[in-house]
Amino acid sequence: MKSIKVIVLFLLTGISVVAQQKITVEDIYTGAFRAKGMDELQAMKTTNQYTVLNSDRTTRSQQIDLYDYATLKKVSTLVDTKTSASLVSGIDSYTFSPDEKQILIANNTTQIYRHSFTADYYLYNIITKTTIKLFEQVQEPTFSPDGAKIAFAKSNNLYIYDLSSKKTIQVTMDGKKNAIINGITDWVYEEEFAFVRAFDWSADSKKLAYIRFDESEVPEFSMNIYKKDLYPTVETFKYPKAGEKNATVSLYVYDVTAAGSKAINLGNYSDFYIARMKWTNDSNILSAQVLNRHQDNLDLLFIDGNSGSTKIILNEKDKAYVDVTDNLTFLKDNSFIWTSEQDGFNHIYLYDKTGKLKNQVTKGNWEVTSYYGFDEKTKTVYFQSTENGSTVRDVYKISLDGKNKVKLSQQVGTNSATFSPNFEYFINTYSCPTVAPTYTLNTSKDGKQIQSIVDNKELEDKLKKYNLPTKEFFELTTEKGNKLNAWMIKPKDFDATKKYPVFMYQYSGPGSQQVAKDWLDTNDYWFMMLSQQGYITVCVDGRGTGFKGAAFKKMTQKELGKYEVEDQIDAAKVIGNYSYVDKTRIGIFGWSFGGFMASNCILKGADVFKMAIAVAPVTNWRFYDSIYTERYMQTPQENASGYDENSPINFASKLKGNFLLIHGTADDNVHFQNSMQFIEALVQANKQFDWAVYPDKNHGIYGGKTRIQLFNKMTNFIKEKL
């Protein structure tokens, strides 16, 4: 009997081991848990169809496939790289001509910064099935509305290519690196206003508006690039830090027929930003969103393309800052849809062409999180919102008069939509923490699902053998009474009678969100791996994060890092009092703004946190860029105490716990300078700590086996120090 028990015990143990297969960092960062999707999904505009970029691993080829919205059946393969000698190096991205008979295909992409890149471009004719190479290493090629021309940027100048004559016209002549940029944004605009193409065609294709950046007086930042060369090279670029000189921006309209540019008089403004620029439906009226340097006053201008005269159509002011909107949509009569936080939550508004408010379309103590479009035929607006809770997303439609609102999404979690051109159907992308992304065809009438397109059952089945825990979502209330969204991942074999170490993860940046009911990202798999090793992971979105209204988001104004750090410390105290938590073993981790937070927490919460890991942290807000920092802090000259009292570099002497500091030397965003000066402060405070430097790696710290080495290093640090 005894031997039988041993055998049975052995078998049961074996079953348990199989049922709880261990996640490894190598699994995570070699794509073992990658979900399937619909790559480069684009809704057509002239037909009720959509395209997807598919890949065939067997033949190592890519296809742009055309599908019918109503049936989901593949209509045709528009482009196949295995039958096109010109495209053997692949398809990185693609755009259609206005008549959708030609496709501009990018490959051989070379990344510049976060959003910007140069690429080679090929023009594929769908009718003749021919491919010609148009451009080498240019930026942002864009068809004119009549499809006859393509505007593009190269080496800081703007050009127009005529498709019929095959001739190129140079629009600007003065472009020069680190001095003048035409039609492409500078570093800080790209990073903080999140756009690269700073030119736009008028509706009649006769004019091209563009922004010119004179950054000759902007201070320069330099980084050593090491590679494997005998001598490092130096990368120098313009980077305006908080309180320093910004690029001087000006607005021009180029007349294609006259082949000349006219400067728009913006003399009423000084030290300002042109945060957005686009032509209206009136071929002669250009719109521009102009922000003052504090970003608390925004003017929507209408500009006459002939005379250059300007008129303020809409003005928004805020005690903190005004968010720039990408949702400006012009209707046929040039009335326009606009989104704004003016009533305390982000909502949709309708204005007539003179800027008079016609109607607030959506209302309530919830946020519109995406605007999908307007159906002129039925006068219906389609959008995504947080109406059912700040951690979920649902898809809705509503009449332009604010009536007849209908919830179109069916499941609780995160829903997003891609609508057909006639708004009859939409592809709904859905996920939650227990359901991997699914793509379904739904009807816009009532949201009912018609058919499944893509699911990730295979991934879900694969994960079953790992027997992973689930995220538990809850609202954490601090001793000060602040109610904060949170989630927790416990070990699968959790025992409430035991005491567990807790690893806290956060980002905490203004308007951000980490506590959301969507599918797992790569960090989540790492946290699941840590749960298999006996750690509880907790994430708390403190004050200053997004989707709970403007007051909650903007209350950190002028004091970035004060209330956010307070909330993480207070949350750790609440969690530390849970019966199953060892309050002497609480750690915290974050990247970028989260690294800034983790650094502050180990310093200002020295008696609460045993360890911290900070990756690519801002350690002194004086080192960070003008647009982001001043939006929340104003300038160091105006708000010195706000900067100094919340920057980790000034509190190095408070370090007690175990601290790991990580940074890439080629980080163009949060400069390596932040960590170098912080390291010196810690050294002079005679503090022991650990640090890791990644040569020539940018803010993302990736490439080759970098992420595997990085996350194994962090895992080992957690196991040793927490």
Side-chain angles (χ1 to χ4, degrees), residues 283-345:
S283 296
N284 196 45
I285 297 179
L286 175 70
S287 75
Q289 295 181 45
V290 177
L291 273 174
N292 63 336
R293 183 149 181 170
H294 277 171
Q295 299 173 63
D296 56 7
N297 188 96
L298 183 149
D299 287 342
L300 174 64
L301 299 183
F302 276 10
I303 300 157
D304 187 292
N306 289 326
S307 68
S309 63
T310 64
K311 182 179 181 182
I312 298 173
I313 292 295
L314 185 67
N315 171 260
E316 289 214 4
K317 292 183 174 68
D318 193 281
K319 290 179 181 177
Y321 57 90
V322 180
D323 273 322
V324 173
T325 177
D326 281 311
N327 299 326
L328 174 58
T329 303
F330 293 100
L331 309 188
K332 285 181 178 177
D333 63 355
N334 242 26
S335 60
F336 58 93
I337 288 170
W338 176 266
T339 53
S340 168
E341 292 181 322
Q342 61 187 268
D343 77 346
F345 293 85

Side-chain angles (χ1 to χ4, degrees), residues 271-285:
D271 211 357
F272 63 97
Y273 301 112
I274 305 173
R276 292 290 185 272
M277 177 265 300
K278 70 184 287 189
W279 287 92
T280 71
N281 283 334
D282 183 327
S283 296
N284 196 45
I285 297 179

Side-chain angles (χ1 to χ4, degrees), residues 150-167:
I150 298 174
F152 65 93
K154 187 179 176 77
S155 302
N156 290 15
N157 278 315
L158 263 181
Y159 299 81
I160 295 175
Y161 177 80
D162 188 293
L163 287 164
S164 60
S165 69
K166 296 182 171 51
K167 291 182 179 177

Side-chain angles (χ1 to χ4, degrees), residues 506-546:
Q506 47 64 57
Y507 176 73
S508 302
S512 65
Q513 184 176 55
Q514 302 303 314
V515 183
K517 292 179 180 174
D518 56 9
W519 182 243
L520 311 177
D521 63 17
T522 48
N523 278 338
D524 290 321
Y525 285 110
W526 185 49
F527 303 143
M528 295 288 182
M529 187 192 87
L530 292 175
S531 79
Q532 292 180 331
Q533 299 179 32
Y535 294 91
I536 290 175
T537 302
V538 176
C539 181
V540 179
D541 276 344
R543 287 171 291 174
T545 57

